Amino acid sequence: MDSQASDTSPKQGVDPVVTENEAPSLRVNRTPTGVQARDNQAETDLDDPQLYFNRELSHLQFNIRVLEQALDEAHPLLNRLMFLLIFSSNMDEFFEIRVAGLKHQIALGDDTTGADGRLPKAVLSEISRIAHEQITRQYQILNDTLLPQLEALGLRFRRRNQWTEAQKSWVRAFFNDEIMPVISPIGLDPSHPFPRLVNKSLNFIVELEGKDAFGRAGGMAILPAPRSLPRLIALPKELSEDGFSEYVFLSSMIHAHAEELFPGMRVRGCYQFRLTRNADMTVDPEEVSDLASALRGELLARRYGSGVRLEVANNCPDDLIDFLLRQFSLEAEDLYRVEGPVNLTRMMAVLGDVDRPELLYRPFIPGIPKALRSGSLFDAIRKSDLLLHHPFQSFSPVEDLLSEAARDPDVLAIKQTLYRTGADSPIVSALVDAASQGKEVTVVIELRARFDEADNLQLASRLQEAGAIVIYGVMAYKTHAKMLHIVRREKGALRHYAHLGTGNYHSKTAKLYTDYSLFTANEALCADVHRVFQQLSGMGRARRIDTLLHAPFTLHERLTEMIEREAQNARKGKRAHIIIKCNSLTEPRLIKSLYRASQAGVECDLIIRGMCCLKPGLKGVSDNIRVRSIIGRFLEHTRVFHFHNDGKPEIWCSSADFMSRNMFHRVETCFPLLDKKLATRVRKDLETYLVDNCQSWLLQPDGRYCKQDAGDSAPISAQETLLYAYATKS
């Protein structure tokens, strides 16, 4: 992918021609469909474990594809570093949730398997093998490739043995002024047991020799690094070489001056380590009377869950490592020796600190359709449905709609779901303003959005103080749907407006994640959105939802029916084609439906960013299925489903992935694009992804992902093509 992503010249091998609210005109190689049907084949056992990939191992493969971006010279150098650090963050969460879950399952003696039939112990063993290999590789990429290349361009991370005398003097002063007052060394003896260490915190184990002020013989001590201090500190310009930006690690500063924390004693060794803990949160619906209070307690417990991984400096002696493993009740396979900082994710701060725009993606201005640039947004939406494709198009109209609704005296009521938002977001501010002005504001906040629980508790309090009605959804089902409903009085009658999306109401992630936003005044869609809100806030039997698909009630059943409809058309010799784009595909019954469709001759193009348990290309089962993963500048997050439907195509956008939790344990919405122009536009967007030969990885029957190579063909990057098509030209 070209690093200058917003260059206005069309370098993607396509010829985009864009009009307002329409897609670029693309030259797409269409795949013929319905040509491989087998009418009299022997029936295949679709429950055979050999037909499925393991979910956890597939998740791990996605993280590896992210790591591969650190080696892709199509990305600017600092963004390659960013991908390497994202890999660290992803692996942290993988251990905190997925590995922790497997360990807990094994501890309970639960040998339940997924569709792939692998036992938990076997999966955990394979995870350990792959994770050790890839984390070692990650540090090799950092030390042997990225850091030398960054230094060659004037960005240096100084190690202790590289400090000049002037730098040593500055570091000593910084240590005395900023670190010494807030650090708390903990000697280990019978009156000072091993401390409880916060999840993923940076710590040092120190070997001591001599006697302290109380006559106690030296042994070991623990140094927790102050969490209030940055892990990466910029050296003053006057101490750096001309033109260089230079940084030192907090861990190096502490290591260099550890003896000053133990006066009169000799430090024989000082080694950094980090413990990753189980961070999953469980709330029993039968034992909770107040979800918010229960979650506040769980948030405190999360910091001290059971250990699942120990990272240590690679020069740490074996006896100290064994000591730490015993303290955390971990085994040798849970140990990861690393050659560099154990908390790499904290290096992400350098991306915002360094003023080197040539080392980062070129910025761009998200586009805004002409209809939304001036005048009332209600007037624009009333004329026709409007669709935005973030981040190529701006998220600001969503915020502007809420701001206008808050100020508009004709707006009577606003209802909205919030999953990941942030307490200080413009959306929350608009809802607060609306409630303060006496409008009926109802907000369904999902407190259990993983790792956003604290923010959601805070924004719930802020909204309640303003007078909004705050609902925490349905106890046993996370509210994952993205919906906004506005009721406005117009000419003596009530008019309804709605916004439906595939992503969260979060302005920051809307600049990084690809998602669709639909604004509509369609009476049928708005009526269904209103019914879903009533269902969430009240009680009673499931209401009839006519136009939307609605989990956990109708979504799984209707998706299965639409897949089967394509299969029936293929059996009749008609053209049949399915395109599914989502983040994960793991739900066994939907996978079986796709297998049956493939056997009938349906061409299935699946664009699955992360986990995929379906095996493509299996003779007689999935020869008509292709699975690709797009990894690039933006996180692919749209959930879009296309069904050819015998020449009457349907396009659906959804908040749900093809996972069991989305289909059966969450409140989700899936909405049709009823405007034919919008549906055609999204289909063309999907076709753009299908011809990507720059950031596309094809899943093989054996589980490997092979990156597409343009070869002699013109390079086509889907993300750059869409960026060129929809972003403001500048």
Side-chain angles (χ1 to χ4, degrees), residues 52 68 119 169 231 324 350 419 453 476 504 508 541 720:
Y52 300 88
E68 287 291 334
L119 291 170
S169 177
R231 297 303 186 246
L324 290 172
V350 76
Y419 191 74
E453 298 94 344
N504 299 301
K508 290 182 180 179
R541 297 185 65 82
E720 281 198 25

Side-chain angles (χ1 to χ4, degrees), residues 544-561:
R544 177 182 174 86
I545 307 296
D546 296 317
T547 309
L548 293 177
L549 304 183
H550 182 206
F553 304 106
T554 61
L555 179 56
H556 185 270
E557 179 184 0
R558 286 286 290 119
L559 286 173
T560 304
E561 289 174 358

